[in-house]
Amino acid sequence: MIAKDNIKISVQHLYKDFGKTNILSDISLDVREGEVVCIIGPSGGGKSTFLRCINKLEEVTKGQIFVDDYEITDKKVDINQARQNIGMVFQQFNLFPHKTVLENVMLAPVDRKLLTKEEAKTRAMELLKRVGIEEKANEYPHSLSGGQQQRVAIARALAMNPDVMLFDEPTSALDPEMVGEVLAVMKELAEQGMTMVIVTHEMGFARDVADRVLLFADGVIAEEGTPKEIFDNPQNKRTQDFLAAVL
Amino acid sequence: MFEIITKFGPTLLEAMGKTLTMAFYSLIFASIIGLFFGVLAVVKSKICNIISQVFVDIIRGVPMIVLAYFVFFGIPYACKNMLGFNLTLSALEAGIICLSLNCGAYMAEIIRGGIQAVPKGQMEAARSLGLPYLTSMRQIILPQAIRTMIPSIINQFIITLKDTSILSIIGFPELVNSAKGVVALTFKSFQVWAIVGIMYLIIITILSKLAKVLERRLSYDRKR
Ligand SMILES: Nc1ncnc2c1ncn2[C@@H]1O[C@H](COP(=O)(O)OP(=O)(O)O)[C@@H](O)[C@H]1O
Ligand SMILES: [Mg+2]
């Protein structure tokens, strides 16, 4: 079975246990093409685990996940092929420290033979320009600020030309003055029609950019709605408590 | 002393060459063995992990000298009497097998530790770009692991170079064996063993210095 035409990510009755501990239970979610979904919620609520299930960094316990034509939860899925279509950006950037910025961005498309070296270089420079750090192309990651590193990480993910992008608290490890530059890149990406699922603690960003906001708590989607509904008129007690604590 | 050097210098140098040859091949094979079992120790498969652990435990638990006798005498004996074909191993071949297995086991441990010291996020970042496991290992994890492993690897290489002397017992004419011959001819054990000691010392000092240079070269804050 294949996800419906304009549905990019479809999660159906997802359960995830770590050992005997249940972390996620009965999560279902459809993300349409071009939609931006922000996930908020208290720490330990299962947000990262959920995101990691989508590109199979975690094996699910039960349920189905589709991304485009790939059933991620199918044992026989070509996971490397499927992952090329799913960009992921981590809280800790995870740039490759032994490669230059340019090499970080070029590596996967060349290795997977999507592009020749020359093409990949041109494309990488374009992407670096788009995230505003083309002048750092030949530097090593450790000489960049956190904000710059995270922008490189976004460029690296985009280099594979993914249809969807997953962000796991992309600004949580940044000094406050660098949060804005990363959010700006993400906002631009959203405006260009990228399908995005973003775990974030930046409520202003979620309100501004998200089409839909989900509140994860204790492994379930406690509430979901438009930013207006969630932030201005939360119905669920857990949403109210969470927002009271962070706003 | 000088008399010994002028008279037996060439012999000892030739023997040193044999020592280095044996060490060189052993280190190459040991690196392959170590890499293989080191990676086997970290892949997500219980069976692979156990195979690696058993190999390392066996080699570490058997003295080299026993391993040497086993390979040089035991294996050809078994081939002839139990399997019915002749296998002759030269002392050099047997020596290389022993040293490769021995050094390989320790290398496996070093490599396992080095791989596990690379932050988990590196493998996850590589995999989420769609890179296969082994590609990620080769392109992302191992190059980083190697950097932290270099001092231990060089140390292991030095130990293996010194361990070549144990192979004198199976009759390979490496440095220690040849030196014995020179002592038998000249009776000057003090001078001969002093010279041999200094020869080892020079080679190993050069290796250590090389290691320092390599280590500095490979650190991130220097452009290549
Ligand atoms: N690899 C793991 N093994 C066991 N428990 C885990 C693992 N990863 C996460 N958890 C647990 O799962 C729960 C949800 O974690 P996580 O998804 O990181 O939450 P969030 O991202 O919302 O803070 C936490 O209680 C955490 O301790
Ligand atoms: Mg998290």
Side-chain angles (χ1 to χ4, degrees):
Chain A
M1 125 146 220
I2 283 170
K4 271 177 258 135
D5 268 351
N6 61 342
I7 302 286
K8 280 284 172 187
I9 304 174
S10 179
V11 178
Q12 292 162 14
H13 306 291
L14 169 68
Y15 288 79
K16 171 68 186 170
D17 301 341
F18 279 119
K20 288 200 164 63
T21 323
N22 175 255
I23 303 296
L24 298 174
S25 60
D26 201 15
I27 306 273
S28 293
L29 171 72
D30 282 344
V31 182
R32 292 186 312 277
E33 183 165 6
E35 194 179 14
V36 177
V37 173
C38 280
I39 300 178
I40 61 173
S43 157
K47 305 182 295 296
S48 299
T49 305
F50 174 67
L51 222 52
R52 292 160 57 85
C53 284
I54 296 178
N55 71 349
K56 213 180 183 185
L57 285 181
E58 304 287 355
E59 295 275 352
V60 314
T61 306
K62 213 171 95 190
Q64 284 181 304
I65 300 176
F66 299 88
V67 178
D68 261 336
D69 296 341
Y70 295 98
E71 183 184 347
I72 303 296
T73 40
D74 182 355
K75 288 254 173 317
K76 293 193 293 282
V77 71
D78 180 350
I79 192 63
N80 298 323
Q81 201 68 34
R83 279 177 178 149
Q84 288 180 29
N85 196 35
I86 311 172
M88 178 124 181
V89 175
F90 301 86
Q91 184 174 346
Q92 299 296 339
F93 331 134
N94 296 342
L95 291 183
F96 307 134
H98 59 303
K99 305 262 180 200
T100 65
V101 164
L102 184 64
E103 287 165 346
N104 262 275
V105 181
M106 286 172 60
L107 182 108
V110 173
D111 190 89
R112 299 274 73 208
K113 301 204 164 46
L114 299 186
L115 300 174
T116 67
K117 246 194 164 123
E118 276 313 304
E119 291 166 348
K121 188 171 175 188
T122 314
R123 169 106 178 107
M125 288 310 293
E126 268 168 36
L127 287 166
L128 288 173
K129 195 163 174 190
R130 196 160 140 199
V131 300
I133 23 182
E134 76 267 39
E135 78 280 7
K136 300 278 185 191
N138 293 312
E139 312 247 338
Y140 283 86
H142 69 87
S143 67
L144 272 57
S145 72
Q148 292 170 330
Q149 290 194 44
Q150 194 60 299
R151 284 184 282 149
V152 174
I154 295 173
R156 179 177 69 180
L158 291 174
M160 296 304 278
N161 229 344
D163 275 1
V164 309
M165 288 280 286
L166 310 176
F167 295 82
D168 192 0
E169 298 196 31
T171 58
S172 292
L174 298 178
D175 293 336
E177 72 269 21
M178 292 167 188
V179 169
E181 65 193 55
V182 172
L183 293 182
V185 168
M186 291 166 60
K187 186 173 176 189
E188 201 187 311
L189 208 53
E191 282 162 359
Q192 287 160 356
M194 177 63 79
T195 309
M196 296 159 74
V197 180
I198 305 167
V199 174
T200 185
H201 286 307
E202 297 293 328
M203 297 305 145
F205 175 82
R207 181 193 279 270
D208 185 21
V209 176
D211 297 306
R212 215 172 357 145
V213 176
L214 309 184
L215 188 113
F216 263 60
D218 306 322
V220 297
I221 301 177
E223 188 166 354
E224 97 173 75
T226 63
K228 237 180 155 33
E229 287 165 351
I230 298 288
F231 292 115
D232 296 343
N233 192 17
Q235 301 297 313
N236 189 299
K237 174 91 171 57
R238 281 186 283 197
T239 317
Q240 291 161 359
D241 291 347
F242 175 71
L243 290 176
V246 297
L247 289 179
Chain B
M1 189 98 163
F2 285 113
E3 189 194 332
I4 295 174
I5 292 177
T6 47
K7 207 158 162 205
F8 295 102
T11 315
L12 291 177
L13 277 180
E14 198 194 327
M16 182 90 234
K18 293 214 163 96
T19 287
L20 288 175
T21 308
M22 175 145 77
F24 177 76
Y25 285 113
S26 303
L27 292 180
I28 289 180
F29 292 128
S31 300
I32 297 169
I33 293 172
L35 189 61
F36 178 76
F37 284 102
V39 170
L40 223 55
V42 298
V43 296
K44 259 200 199 140
S45 152
K46 268 265 166 329
I47 299 181
C48 291
N49 303 160
I50 290 171
I51 291 173
S52 171
Q53 194 57 53
V54 167
F55 169 75
V56 170
D57 285 347
I58 289 177
I59 299 294
R60 277 207 303 207
V62 176
M64 255 268 282
I65 205 160
V66 175
L67 186 64
Y69 281 135
F70 182 77
V71 171
F72 191 57
F73 298 112
I75 297 217
Y77 173 88
C79 287
K80 189 155 171 237
N81 294 308
M82 298 174 199
L83 302 170
F85 67 92
N86 275 322
L87 176 88
T88 42
L89 280 176
S90 72
L92 176 62
E93 288 160 353
I96 289 175
I97 292 174
C98 287
L99 285 172
S100 303
L101 288 173
N102 189 271
C103 181
Y106 288 97
M107 288 278 288
E109 282 293 279
I110 294 170
I111 288 170
R112 179 185 59 78
I115 291 173
Q116 286 172 342
V118 176
K120 236 177 77 217
Q122 290 290 309
M123 181 56 104
E124 292 182 349
R127 294 308 306 277
S128 56
L129 287 167
L131 298 175
Y133 180 82
L134 286 178
T135 309
S136 310
M137 207 42 143
R138 182 168 49 78
Q139 294 257 26
I140 307 303
I141 306 303
L142 288 177
Q144 294 182 60
I146 295 276
R147 287 171 165 79
T148 60
M149 289 168 355
I150 293 255
S152 319
I153 289 180
I154 299 284
N155 193 38
Q156 189 54 48
F157 281 5
I158 288 171
I159 292 172
T160 299
L161 182 64
K162 292 204 253 185
D163 279 351
T164 52
S165 59
I166 297 177
L167 277 310
S168 61
I169 52 130
I170 56 173
F172 183 66
E174 46 68 66
L175 191 50
V176 168
N177 235 356
S178 304
K180 277 187 198 161
V182 176
V183 172
L185 287 174
T186 61
F187 302 109
K188 299 211 162 122
S189 40
F190 177 80
Q191 290 89 331
V192 173
W193 291 118
I195 291 170
V196 169
I198 289 167
M199 288 171 82
Y200 274 114
L201 198 60
I202 291 173
I203 298 283
I204 286 167
T205 307
I206 292 173
L207 256 178
S208 310
K209 289 274 172 288
L210 214 66
K212 284 260 151 52
V213 174
L214 204 64
E215 211 176 317
R216 231 177 304 127
R217 273 277 177 82
L218 283 173
S219 73
Y220 301 135
D221 12 69
R222 279 178 50 108
K223 294 256 166 65
R224 270 160 302 166

